C-alpha cells in the first residue's frame, strides 16, 4: 500500500508539473505548403529592464526565439516560455520582400502560422483571431504608415498624412468594437490595441508639425515652437491601464508626457547634450510616483527609468543616490536596486584624481597592451561603439595635440571579432587602436563605466583621471578640447 501511495503522489506531482509548464508556455507552429526561399523569425518583445551597453538599463529586450528557413524544411515548432502576455514580431524575408507583423501571445496559446507563397501569413489555433486582427489593422510602428499615407520627406506640408492617421484611428476603433462583439477579449490585448490606437496619431501629428516648423532644414526650434509640440502631448495623452506598457508608442509618450512639466520648470541643461538636469530628474521622479499612484506597474516603470537616467546620463552621483534611497523604500522587491547601486559605486571610483584601473586589450597586430603602459604622456581614450566611430570628428584635435596627447581608440562594439576589426583600422602616427573582446567589454563596463553618451576619458601622464564624463558635442567638442588643453600644457 505504501508503494502505491508513493506512486500516486509521484503521478500527481508529475501532472501538476506538466500543468504548470503548459500554463507558462505558448506553442507556435510555423508551416509552409512547400520549400521556398523564405526565412521567418519570431522575435519576442520582453518589456522589462535589463543591462544594456551604453544605456545602463534598457526597457525592452528583443529575443529571437525561433527562426525557420523554409528552403530547408516546411514546418517548425517553437515552445516559448511565458508567464504573462507579450507582444511578438513575426518577421518575413524572402524573394526581395521584407515584412513584419505584430502578434499577441499568452501563456497556454497554441498557434499555427501558415506562410503562403504570396508573402502573406494566416493563423489558426487558440487565439488566432487576435493575430488576424492585428495583421489587418496594425503595422509594426507608426512610421511604417507614413509611406502608405503618401508622406513625402522632401515636402514641407504633409497635412493629408495627419488626416489619414486620424481616419485610421477611427477605422481601428470601429473594427475593434465589432471584433469584441464576436470574440472574448482579454484586458492585456484591449490595452495594447487602445493604447497604440490613441498614441500613434498624436505622434504622427507632432512629426508633421515639427517638419513644417523646421521647413525641412536643420534648424533649432524656438521656445514657442517647442511649447506647441509639447502641448500636443499634454493635450492628447491619457493614462491607460498598466497593460498598455506592451505598446512601445505608449511607453515613449508616457515618458514624454511625464517629463514635459519638469523640463519646463528646469530647462534642459545644454543645447548640445539635451541633458536632463538633476533638479528636473528629482521633479519628474516625484511627479511620476504621484500621477501614477493608481497604476503600480507604470509607476515602477517610470521610477526605474528616471533612476537609471540619473545613474547613467549625468556625471554626478548625488541625484542617483537620492533617488535610489527612495526607490529602495518604495519598491523593496525590485530586482534593479543592486545593479544601480553597483553602477553608482563605479562612477564614484571614476572621479578626477583617481588612478585608472589597469585593463589589458589587444592591438591590431594581436599584441597585448595594458592601459598602464600608456603612461608618460596624457591620454585621450575614446570608446567606439561602432567601427571607426568618432575618428573623423577628432582628426583636428589629433593633429593639434599630436606631440602632447596620445589618442587611443578602443573598440567596444560587441560581437565584432578581432579579425574583422583589424581590416578597418587605419594606422596613424597620432593614434593608437585597441580592441576589447566581449569579455573585456564587461570588464570595461565594470571598471571604466563605458557609456555611449560619454565616450571620452582623459588621463594625465601618470594615469590619473582628469575627466571621465565628457559627452559628445556637435559640431565641435568644446568640453573635450578644454580638458585636453589642461593636460597638454
Amino acid at each position: 500500500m505504501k508503494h502505491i501511495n508513493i506512486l500516486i503522489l509521484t503521478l500527481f506531482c508529475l501532472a501538476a508539473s506538466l500543468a504548470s509548464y503548459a500554463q507558462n508556455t505558448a506553442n507556435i507552429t510555423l508551416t509552409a505548403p512547400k520549400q521556398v526561399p523564405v526565412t521567418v523569425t519570431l522575435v519576442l518583445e520582453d518589456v522589462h529592464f535589463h543591462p544594456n551597453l551604453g544605456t545602463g538599463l534598457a526597457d525592452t529586450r528583443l529575443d529571437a526565439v525561433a527562426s525557420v528557413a523554409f528552403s530547408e524544411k516546411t514546418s517548425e515548432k517553437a515552445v516559448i516560455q511565458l508567464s504573462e502576455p507579450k507582444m511578438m514580431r513575426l518577421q518575413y524575408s524572402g524573394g526581395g520582400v521584407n515584412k513584419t507583423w505584430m502578434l499577441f501571445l499568452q501563456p497556454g496559446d497554441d498557434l499555427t502560422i501558415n506562410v503562403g507563397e504570396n508573402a502573406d501569413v494566416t493563423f489558426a489555433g487558440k487565439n488566432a483571431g487576435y493575430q488576424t486582427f492585428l495583421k489587418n489593422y496594425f503595422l509594426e510602428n507608426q512610421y511604417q504608415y507614413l509611406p502608405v499615407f503618401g508622406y513625402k520627406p522632401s515636402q514641407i506640408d504633409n497635412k493629408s498624412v495627419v488626416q489619414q492617421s486620424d481616419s485610421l484611428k477611427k477605422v481601428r476603433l470601429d473594427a475593434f468594437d465589432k471584433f469584441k462583439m464576436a470574440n472574448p477579449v482579454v484586458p492585456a490585448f484591449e490595452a495594447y490595441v487602445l493604447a497604440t490606437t490613441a498614441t500613434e496619431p498624436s505622434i504622427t501629428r507632432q512629426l508633421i508639425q515639427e517638419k513644417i516648423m523646421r521647413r525641412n532644414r536643420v534648424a533649432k526650434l524656438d521656445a514657442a515652437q517647442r511649447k506647441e509640440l509639447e502641448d500636443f502631448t499634454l493635450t492628447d495623452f491619457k493614462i491607460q491601464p498598466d497593460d498598455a506598457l506592451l505598446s512601445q508608442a505608449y511607453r515613449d509618450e508616457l515618458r514624454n508626457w511625464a517629463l514635459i512639466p519638469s523640463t519646463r520648470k528646469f530647462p534642459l541643461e545644454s543645447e548640445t547634450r539635451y541633458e536632463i538636469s538633476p533638479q528636473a530628474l528629482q521633479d519628474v521622479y516625484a511627479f511620476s510616483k504621484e500621477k501614477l499612484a493608481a497604476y503600480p506597474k507604470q509607476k515602477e516603470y517610470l521610477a526605474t527609468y528616471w533612476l537609471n537616467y540619473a545613474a547613467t546620463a549625468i556625471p554626478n552621483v548625488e541625484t542617483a543616490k537620492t533617488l535610489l534611497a527612495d526607490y529602495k523604500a518604495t519598491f523593496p522587491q525590485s530586482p534593479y536596486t543592486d545593479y544601480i547601486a553597483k553602477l553608482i559605486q563605479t562612477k564614484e571610483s571614476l572621479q578626477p584624481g583617481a588612478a585608472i584601473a589597469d585593463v589589458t586589450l589587444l592591438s591590431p597586430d594581436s599584441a597585448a597592451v595594458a592601459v598602464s603602459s600608456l603612461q608618460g604622456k596624457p591620454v585621450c581614450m575614446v570608446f567606439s561603439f561602432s567601427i571607426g566611430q568618432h575618428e573623423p570628428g577628432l582628426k583636428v584635435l589629433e593633429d593639434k595635440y599630436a606631440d602632447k596627447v596620445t589618442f587611443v581608440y578602443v573598440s567596444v562594439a560587441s560581437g565584432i571579432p578581432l579579425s574583422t576589426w583589424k581590416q578597418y583600422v587605419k594606422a596613424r602616427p597620432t593614434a593608437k587602436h585597441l580592441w576589447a573582446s566581449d569579455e573585456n567589454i564587461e570588464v570595461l563596463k565594470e571598471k571604466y563605466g563605458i557609456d555611449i553618451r560619454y565616450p571620452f576619458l582623459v588621463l594625465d601622464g601618470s594615469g590619473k583621471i582628469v575627466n571621465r564624463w565628457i559627452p559628445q558635442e556637435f559640431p565641435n567638442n568644446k568640453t573635450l578640447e578644454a580638458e585636453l588643453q589642461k593636460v597638454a600644457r
Side-chain angles (χ1 to χ4, degrees), residues 226 230 258-271 274-287 306 309 314 319:
R226 289 197 303 272
E230 291 173 349
L259 185 59
I260 289 170
S262 298
T263 51
R264 285 184 173 180
K265 284 190 281 185
F266 306 99
L268 298 172
E269 277 201 334
S270 169
E271 293 180 357
Y274 294 100
E275 179 185 293
I276 303 173
S277 70
Q279 297 92 334
L281 277 172
Q282 294 191 57
D283 192 72
V284 70
Y285 179 90
F287 176 90
W306 305 129
Y309 190 100
I314 58 177
T319 303

Short mmCIF file of all heavy atoms in Angstrom, two decimals, residues 226 230 258-271 274-287 306 309 314 319:
data_model
loop_
_atom_site.label_atom_id
_atom_site.label_comp_id
_atom_site.label_asym_id
_atom_site.label_seq_id
_atom_site.Cartn_x
_atom_site.Cartn_y
_atom_site.Cartn_z
N ARG A 226 8.68 74.82 -29.48
CA ARG A 226 8.82 73.65 -28.60
C ARG A 226 7.58 73.48 -27.73
O ARG A 226 7.09 72.37 -27.52
CB ARG A 226 10.07 73.78 -27.73
CG ARG A 226 11.38 73.64 -28.48
CD ARG A 226 12.54 73.38 -27.52
NE ARG A 226 12.66 74.41 -26.52
CZ ARG A 226 13.37 75.53 -26.67
NH1 ARG A 226 14.00 75.74 -27.82
NH2 ARG A 226 13.45 76.43 -25.71
N GLU A 230 5.04 70.30 -27.45
CA GLU A 230 4.80 69.68 -26.15
C GLU A 230 3.32 69.71 -25.78
O GLU A 230 2.80 68.77 -25.16
CB GLU A 230 5.61 70.40 -25.08
CG GLU A 230 7.11 70.18 -25.20
CD GLU A 230 7.90 71.04 -24.23
OE1 GLU A 230 7.31 71.96 -23.61
OE2 GLU A 230 9.12 70.81 -24.11
N ALA A 258 5.28 62.67 -18.96
CA ALA A 258 5.70 62.88 -17.57
C ALA A 258 6.81 63.91 -17.46
O ALA A 258 6.89 64.67 -16.48
CB ALA A 258 6.15 61.56 -16.96
N LEU A 259 7.68 63.97 -18.48
CA LEU A 259 8.87 64.81 -18.40
C LEU A 259 8.59 66.28 -18.70
O LEU A 259 9.27 67.17 -18.16
CB LEU A 259 9.93 64.27 -19.37
CG LEU A 259 11.30 64.95 -19.35
CD1 LEU A 259 11.93 64.87 -17.97
CD2 LEU A 259 12.21 64.33 -20.40
N ILE A 260 7.61 66.56 -19.55
CA ILE A 260 7.41 67.94 -20.03
C ILE A 260 7.22 68.95 -18.89
O ILE A 260 7.89 70.00 -18.88
CB ILE A 260 6.23 68.00 -21.02
CG1 ILE A 260 6.63 67.32 -22.34
CG2 ILE A 260 5.80 69.44 -21.29
CD1 ILE A 260 5.48 67.10 -23.31
N PRO A 261 6.35 68.70 -17.90
CA PRO A 261 6.20 69.71 -16.83
C PRO A 261 7.52 69.99 -16.09
O PRO A 261 7.78 71.13 -15.71
CB PRO A 261 5.16 69.08 -15.90
CG PRO A 261 4.40 68.14 -16.78
CD PRO A 261 5.42 67.58 -17.73
N SER A 262 8.35 68.96 -15.93
CA SER A 262 9.60 69.13 -15.18
C SER A 262 10.63 69.91 -15.99
O SER A 262 11.35 70.77 -15.44
CB SER A 262 10.17 67.77 -14.78
OG SER A 262 9.28 67.09 -13.91
N THR A 263 10.72 69.65 -17.29
CA THR A 263 11.70 70.38 -18.10
C THR A 263 11.24 71.81 -18.39
O THR A 263 12.05 72.66 -18.75
CB THR A 263 11.99 69.64 -19.42
OG1 THR A 263 10.77 69.33 -20.09
CG2 THR A 263 12.76 68.37 -19.16
N ARG A 264 9.96 72.08 -18.22
CA ARG A 264 9.50 73.47 -18.31
C ARG A 264 9.93 74.25 -17.05
O ARG A 264 10.25 75.43 -17.12
CB ARG A 264 7.99 73.53 -18.51
CG ARG A 264 7.56 73.17 -19.91
CD ARG A 264 6.07 73.32 -20.12
NE ARG A 264 5.73 73.12 -21.54
CZ ARG A 264 4.49 73.20 -22.02
NH1 ARG A 264 3.47 73.46 -21.21
NH2 ARG A 264 4.27 73.01 -23.31
N LYS A 265 9.92 73.57 -15.93
CA LYS A 265 10.38 74.22 -14.70
C LYS A 265 11.90 74.29 -14.63
O LYS A 265 12.47 75.27 -14.14
CB LYS A 265 9.84 73.45 -13.48
CG LYS A 265 8.38 73.68 -13.19
CD LYS A 265 7.98 73.11 -11.85
CE LYS A 265 7.77 71.61 -11.90
NZ LYS A 265 7.27 71.06 -10.63
N PHE A 266 12.55 73.22 -15.11
CA PHE A 266 14.01 73.13 -15.08
C PHE A 266 14.50 72.80 -16.49
O PHE A 266 14.64 71.62 -16.85
CB PHE A 266 14.47 72.05 -14.10
CG PHE A 266 13.91 72.21 -12.72
CD1 PHE A 266 12.81 71.46 -12.31
CD2 PHE A 266 14.47 73.12 -11.83
CE1 PHE A 266 12.29 71.60 -11.03
CE2 PHE A 266 13.95 73.27 -10.55
CZ PHE A 266 12.85 72.52 -10.15
N PRO A 267 14.72 73.81 -17.34
CA PRO A 267 15.05 73.57 -18.75
C PRO A 267 16.28 72.67 -18.93
O PRO A 267 17.14 72.59 -18.05
CB PRO A 267 15.32 74.98 -19.29
CG PRO A 267 14.53 75.87 -18.38
CD PRO A 267 14.60 75.24 -17.03
N LEU A 268 16.34 72.02 -20.09
CA LEU A 268 17.45 71.14 -20.42
C LEU A 268 18.76 71.89 -20.28
O LEU A 268 18.87 73.06 -20.69
CB LEU A 268 17.28 70.61 -21.85
CG LEU A 268 16.02 69.76 -22.08
CD1 LEU A 268 15.86 69.44 -23.54
CD2 LEU A 268 16.08 68.48 -21.26
N GLU A 269 19.77 71.22 -19.72
CA GLU A 269 21.00 71.90 -19.32
C GLU A 269 21.83 72.43 -20.47
O GLU A 269 22.47 73.45 -20.35
CB GLU A 269 21.85 70.96 -18.47
CG GLU A 269 21.44 70.93 -17.01
CD GLU A 269 22.56 70.44 -16.13
OE1 GLU A 269 23.41 69.69 -16.63
OE2 GLU A 269 22.58 70.79 -14.95
N SER A 270 21.87 71.70 -21.57
CA SER A 270 22.80 72.07 -22.63
C SER A 270 22.12 72.01 -23.98
O SER A 270 21.35 71.11 -24.27
CB SER A 270 24.01 71.14 -22.63
OG SER A 270 24.78 71.32 -23.79
N GLU A 271 22.43 72.98 -24.83
CA GLU A 271 21.85 72.99 -26.17
C GLU A 271 22.39 71.85 -27.02
O GLU A 271 21.78 71.45 -27.99
CB GLU A 271 22.14 74.33 -26.85
CG GLU A 271 21.43 75.51 -26.20
CD GLU A 271 21.74 76.81 -26.89
OE1 GLU A 271 22.54 76.79 -27.85
OE2 GLU A 271 21.19 77.84 -26.49
N TYR A 274 21.35 68.18 -24.49
CA TYR A 274 19.95 67.96 -24.09
C TYR A 274 19.88 67.06 -22.85
O TYR A 274 19.11 66.13 -22.77
CB TYR A 274 19.15 67.35 -25.24
CG TYR A 274 19.00 68.29 -26.40
CD1 TYR A 274 19.81 68.16 -27.51
CD2 TYR A 274 18.08 69.33 -26.38
CE1 TYR A 274 19.71 69.04 -28.57
CE2 TYR A 274 17.97 70.21 -27.42
CZ TYR A 274 18.79 70.07 -28.52
OH TYR A 274 18.69 70.94 -29.55
N GLU A 275 20.70 67.40 -21.88
CA GLU A 275 20.77 66.60 -20.66
C GLU A 275 19.71 67.06 -19.67
O GLU A 275 19.55 68.25 -19.42
CB GLU A 275 22.17 66.74 -20.06
CG GLU A 275 22.37 65.97 -18.78
CD GLU A 275 23.74 66.29 -18.20
OE1 GLU A 275 24.74 65.89 -18.83
OE2 GLU A 275 23.81 66.93 -17.13
N ILE A 276 18.99 66.11 -19.10
CA ILE A 276 18.00 66.44 -18.08
C ILE A 276 18.75 66.80 -16.81
O ILE A 276 19.63 66.06 -16.36
CB ILE A 276 17.05 65.25 -17.83
CG1 ILE A 276 16.35 64.84 -19.13
CG2 ILE A 276 16.02 65.60 -16.78
CD1 ILE A 276 15.53 63.57 -19.01
N SER A 277 18.43 67.93 -16.22
CA SER A 277 19.16 68.40 -15.05
C SER A 277 18.81 67.57 -13.82
O SER A 277 17.75 66.93 -13.76
CB SER A 277 18.82 69.87 -14.78
OG SER A 277 17.48 69.98 -14.33
N PRO A 278 19.68 67.58 -12.80
CA PRO A 278 19.36 66.86 -11.56
C PRO A 278 18.04 67.32 -10.95
O PRO A 278 17.27 66.50 -10.45
CB PRO A 278 20.55 67.22 -10.65
CG PRO A 278 21.69 67.46 -11.60
CD PRO A 278 21.06 68.11 -12.79
N GLN A 279 17.76 68.64 -11.00
CA GLN A 279 16.50 69.15 -10.43
C GLN A 279 15.30 68.60 -11.20
O GLN A 279 14.29 68.21 -10.59
CB GLN A 279 16.49 70.68 -10.46
CG GLN A 279 17.57 71.32 -9.62
CD GLN A 279 18.83 71.59 -10.43
OE1 GLN A 279 19.11 70.93 -11.43
NE2 GLN A 279 19.61 72.57 -9.97
N ALA A 280 15.41 68.58 -12.53
CA ALA A 280 14.31 68.05 -13.34
C ALA A 280 14.10 66.57 -13.07
O ALA A 280 12.95 66.09 -13.02
CB ALA A 280 14.57 68.30 -14.82
N LEU A 281 15.18 65.82 -12.90
CA LEU A 281 15.05 64.39 -12.63
C LEU A 281 14.34 64.13 -11.31
O LEU A 281 13.46 63.26 -11.22
CB LEU A 281 16.43 63.73 -12.61
CG LEU A 281 17.00 63.35 -13.97
CD1 LEU A 281 18.44 62.89 -13.83
CD2 LEU A 281 16.16 62.25 -14.61
N GLN A 282 14.70 64.86 -10.28
CA GLN A 282 14.02 64.67 -8.99
C GLN A 282 12.56 65.06 -9.10
O GLN A 282 11.68 64.41 -8.51
CB GLN A 282 14.73 65.49 -7.91
CG GLN A 282 16.14 64.99 -7.62
CD GLN A 282 16.74 65.62 -6.38
OE1 GLN A 282 16.19 65.53 -5.30
NE2 GLN A 282 17.89 66.26 -6.55
N ASP A 283 12.28 66.10 -9.88
CA ASP A 283 10.90 66.56 -10.05
C ASP A 283 10.06 65.55 -10.82
O ASP A 283 8.94 65.21 -10.41
CB ASP A 283 10.90 67.91 -10.77
CG ASP A 283 9.55 68.59 -10.73
OD1 ASP A 283 9.16 69.07 -9.65
OD2 ASP A 283 8.86 68.61 -11.78
N VAL A 284 10.58 65.03 -11.93
CA VAL A 284 9.81 64.09 -12.73
C VAL A 284 9.66 62.75 -12.02
O VAL A 284 8.65 62.06 -12.17
CB VAL A 284 10.42 63.91 -14.14
CG1 VAL A 284 11.74 63.16 -14.09
CG2 VAL A 284 9.45 63.17 -15.06
N TYR A 285 10.65 62.38 -11.24
CA TYR A 285 10.55 61.14 -10.44
C TYR A 285 9.38 61.27 -9.45
O TYR A 285 8.53 60.36 -9.35
CB TYR A 285 11.87 60.91 -9.70
CG TYR A 285 11.89 59.69 -8.81
CD1 TYR A 285 12.30 58.46 -9.30
CD2 TYR A 285 11.53 59.78 -7.47
CE1 TYR A 285 12.34 57.33 -8.47
CE2 TYR A 285 11.55 58.67 -6.64
CZ TYR A 285 11.96 57.44 -7.14
OH TYR A 285 11.99 56.34 -6.32
N ALA A 286 9.31 62.39 -8.74
CA ALA A 286 8.21 62.61 -7.78
C ALA A 286 6.87 62.72 -8.50
O ALA A 286 5.85 62.16 -8.05
CB ALA A 286 8.48 63.87 -6.96
N PHE A 287 6.85 63.42 -9.63
CA PHE A 287 5.63 63.58 -10.43
C PHE A 287 5.11 62.22 -10.88
O PHE A 287 3.90 61.93 -10.81
CB PHE A 287 5.93 64.47 -11.63
CG PHE A 287 4.78 64.64 -12.59
CD1 PHE A 287 3.87 65.67 -12.43
CD2 PHE A 287 4.61 63.77 -13.68
CE1 PHE A 287 2.80 65.84 -13.32
CE2 PHE A 287 3.56 63.93 -14.56
CZ PHE A 287 2.65 64.96 -14.39
N TRP A 306 13.72 56.80 -14.62
CA TRP A 306 14.38 58.05 -14.18
C TRP A 306 15.56 57.76 -13.28
O TRP A 306 16.59 58.47 -13.35
CB TRP A 306 13.37 58.95 -13.46
CG TRP A 306 12.14 59.26 -14.26
CD1 TRP A 306 10.84 59.13 -13.85
CD2 TRP A 306 12.07 59.78 -15.60
NE1 TRP A 306 9.98 59.50 -14.85
CE2 TRP A 306 10.71 59.91 -15.94
CE3 TRP A 306 13.02 60.12 -16.55
CZ2 TRP A 306 10.27 60.37 -17.17
CZ3 TRP A 306 12.60 60.58 -17.80
CH2 TRP A 306 11.25 60.71 -18.10
N TYR A 309 18.36 56.81 -15.53
CA TYR A 309 18.88 58.00 -16.21
C TYR A 309 19.81 58.77 -15.27
O TYR A 309 20.89 59.21 -15.68
CB TYR A 309 17.72 58.89 -16.66
CG TYR A 309 18.15 60.02 -17.58
CD1 TYR A 309 17.98 59.94 -18.94
CD2 TYR A 309 18.74 61.17 -17.05
CE1 TYR A 309 18.37 60.99 -19.78
CE2 TYR A 309 19.15 62.21 -17.87
CZ TYR A 309 18.96 62.12 -19.24
OH TYR A 309 19.38 63.13 -20.06
N ILE A 314 23.95 61.52 -16.20
CA ILE A 314 24.51 62.76 -15.68
C ILE A 314 25.76 62.43 -14.87
O ILE A 314 25.83 61.39 -14.22
CB ILE A 314 23.49 63.55 -14.83
CG1 ILE A 314 22.98 62.73 -13.66
CG2 ILE A 314 22.34 64.02 -15.68
CD1 ILE A 314 22.04 63.50 -12.76
N THR A 319 22.34 62.87 -7.28
CA THR A 319 20.93 62.70 -7.63
C THR A 319 20.55 61.22 -7.64
O THR A 319 19.50 60.83 -7.13
CB THR A 319 20.65 63.32 -9.01
OG1 THR A 319 21.02 64.68 -8.99
CG2 THR A 319 19.17 63.20 -9.36
#
